[in-house]
Amino acid sequence: MSEHRTTVAGVTVDTRHWIGGQRVASPRTFTDASPIDGAPIGEISRGTATEAGAAVAAAKVAFPGWAATSRAERARILHAIADGVEKRLEELANVETVDNGALLRSHRRGVMPRVAHNFRFFADWLLTLEHEDFATRGHTNHVTWDPAGPCVLITPWNAPLMLATWKVAPALAAGNTVVLKPAEWSPLTASLLADITAEAGLPAGVLNIVQGYGSEIGDALTSHPDVRRISFTGSVPTARHIAAAAAANLTPLSLELGGKSPLLVFADADLDLAVDLAVEQYDNAGQVCLAATRLLVEEAVAEEFTRRFVARASRLRQGDPREESTDIGPTIHPRQVAKIDGFVRRALAAGARAVIGGHPGEGQYYAPTLLTDVRQDSEIVQEEVFGPVLTLQTFSGEDEAVHLANDTRFGLAATLATGDPERAERVTARLVAGTVWVNCFFVRDLKAPFGGSRHSGIGREGGTWSFDFYCDLKNTVTAPKGWRHHG
């Protein structure tokens, strides 16, 4: 590592902020370490209110020019950014795997292609965004989506670049300028994104990136009077703090928060499919907000389901995420390992039984865990663990299944396995969730609305819903030619 740069997987990454089209260093740094082996991989500029304020100021200066840029030109630049992502896809995949520990094969085949798609999708959607004019007593109503202003986007560590660009792309497409604050546990691919956007011709100040701890720069970003939108993905306690900071300026918020999603398995389901869906919840070491961590299985098939689940889960290989044969990588940070283990230990002490797992492995690896004999009101059932820990409960009919599924403070997603289409329709209509999957999981189209109910969030993004959030909607009413108003 040299001053202001580090080399990860053969890729040189600048460790400074990106503000107003320039690299900006902070006097202090923080250490970024790889979850694979705990080794330091970079000394990252540690932002303060000074850098946060400078980034918002740069975004404010750049906003009029970018807002006035034609839709076609904005779309062209977003496609150029996507080209840059695809050109550096292998580098991005390797760096992010070292930085956050997710599987390299997933980054190569799914995550980084999705990063490019985020930019292409919103670039193309922008060019088709329109509302049909309508008449009121001969007057014409014309609806437009106007750029709102500088946006602060705060993103998590579990899918750093994909979730960042899920916000950055529509915000830029809408004509806004952006201040991105990536998670301090996985900041490196955001820095590479800055390089890619500059090479694509994005004007200086349109995208700014400030690194650091939320406790040190968060308030300066979220309470700033020049910020017109805030989008955050993360925990409920942090969201409360952000909402309080934004309240003084009435800054609109989009919050995608935690989940404690259920997987309902009915006796008429394809059990092999249901087991595959359940084991899939260990993806990314369980560090997925949408994960269906509560397995709710009809009593008649619970024993057989559990037997097949254990057999299937026992074949999972946990280890170095850079190896093709690995199914489960490490947990992001030692603090997260301790948090997960605390949940499991308290559950076991309260009477839960570990069918598999129930303990940490070496380093930052936590064994895939399935807990049974858990009470509905217990912490392990009610609170988000964000690790490879599932619980299994049984039910005797649709009413009990729906009650158990809805009986938490969350409502992000739900998954349903059944062979009866009519049952699927009845049950999904009663589930409280932003997304429901029937006999599938994690099928996501950017055209669809995404977000959570209850404590899982506020608002929806995706397709036109993203532009509804990142824009000020305006209705212009024009009188017919020659018409005079007599009030």
Side-chain angles (χ1 to χ4, degrees), residues 397-414:
E398 284 183 22
D399 287 344
E400 186 179 13
V402 171
H403 169 73
L404 292 174
N406 288 340
D407 188 25
T408 75
R409 63 193 173 109
F410 297 105
L412 186 56

Side-chain angles (χ1 to χ4, degrees), residues 331-414:
T331 301
I332 184 71
H333 193 276
R335 291 215 309 264
Q336 190 67 14
V337 177
K339 178 183 176 184
I340 295 166
D341 197 43
F343 273 111
V344 173
R345 286 178 180 274
R346 291 189 296 273
L348 294 174
R353 180 172 66 91
V355 179
I356 60 172
H359 56 83
E362 295 183 6
Q364 291 176 214
Y365 294 81
Y366 202 91
T369 296
L370 176 65
L371 301 177
T372 60
D373 301 334
V374 294
R375 299 191 322 272
Q376 178 64 18
D377 62 354
S378 64
E379 177 192 57
I380 197 66
V381 170
Q382 293 292 325
E383 298 298 327
E384 184 178 47
V385 177
F386 221 63
V389 178
L390 309 180
T391 60
L392 190 150
Q393 299 166 268
T394 61
F395 63 84
S396 60
E398 284 183 22
D399 287 344
E400 186 179 13
V402 171
H403 169 73
L404 292 174
N406 288 340
D407 188 25
T408 75
R409 63 193 173 109
F410 297 105
L412 186 56

Side-chain angles (χ1 to χ4, degrees), residues 16 24 60 66 90 106 148 183 247 273 278 281 286 298 322 333 372 375 432 443 450 462 487:
R16 295 171 290 180
V24 176
K60 182 180 180 181
W66 183 243
E90 189 70 15
S106 295
L273 170 64
Q281 308 311 313
E298 195 162 8
R322 294 167 293 192
H333 193 276
T372 60
R375 299 191 322 272
V432 179
V443 178
F450 180 74

Side-chain angles (χ1 to χ4, degrees), residues 75-246:
R76 184 193 68 77
I77 292 176
L78 263 62
H79 275 292
I81 295 171
D83 292 341
V85 169
E86 291 172 348
K87 180 181 177 181
R88 302 187 67 178
L89 189 146
E90 189 70 15
E91 294 180 1
L92 292 166
N94 278 284
V95 169
E96 190 146 295
T97 294
V98 173
D99 201 16
N100 92 321
L103 300 184
L104 178 58
R105 70 171 191 244
S106 295
H107 281 137
R108 284 172 168 161
R109 299 171 191 171
V111 177
M112 294 309 163
R114 167 64 183 271
V115 169
H117 180 59
N118 284 342
F119 285 104
R120 296 202 191 283
F121 173 86
F122 286 107
D124 292 341
W125 198 265
L126 170 66
L127 298 180
T128 63
L129 187 67
E130 63 179 355
H131 190 291
E132 184 177 350
D133 289 354
F134 57 98
T136 303
R137 298 191 301 276
H139 297 61
T140 300
N141 292 265
H142 179 66
V143 176
T144 55
W145 285 260
D146 294 353
C151 300
V152 164
L153 312 178
I154 303 173
T155 55
W157 44 260
N158 57 321
L161 193 58
M162 190 270 282
L163 292 177
T165 55
W166 157 249
K167 300 176 187 296
V168 169
L172 296 182
N176 298 323
T177 51
V178 166
V179 178
L180 170 65
K181 193 276 178 192
E184 60 268 23
W185 287 350
S186 54
L188 297 183
T189 47
S191 180
L192 294 176
L193 177 65
D195 298 333
I196 291 170
T197 59
E199 292 166 4
L202 190 70
V206 174
L207 173 65
N208 307 274
I209 299 172
V210 182
Q211 303 155 149
Y213 297 115
S215 59
E216 296 178 350
I217 61 175
D219 284 350
L221 292 172
T222 56
S223 65
H224 200 294
D226 292 331
V227 170
R228 294 315 311 139
R229 294 291 186 275
I230 299 170
S231 181
F232 168 73
T233 298
S235 71
V236 172
T238 302
R240 289 194 180 105
H241 190 82
I242 290 172

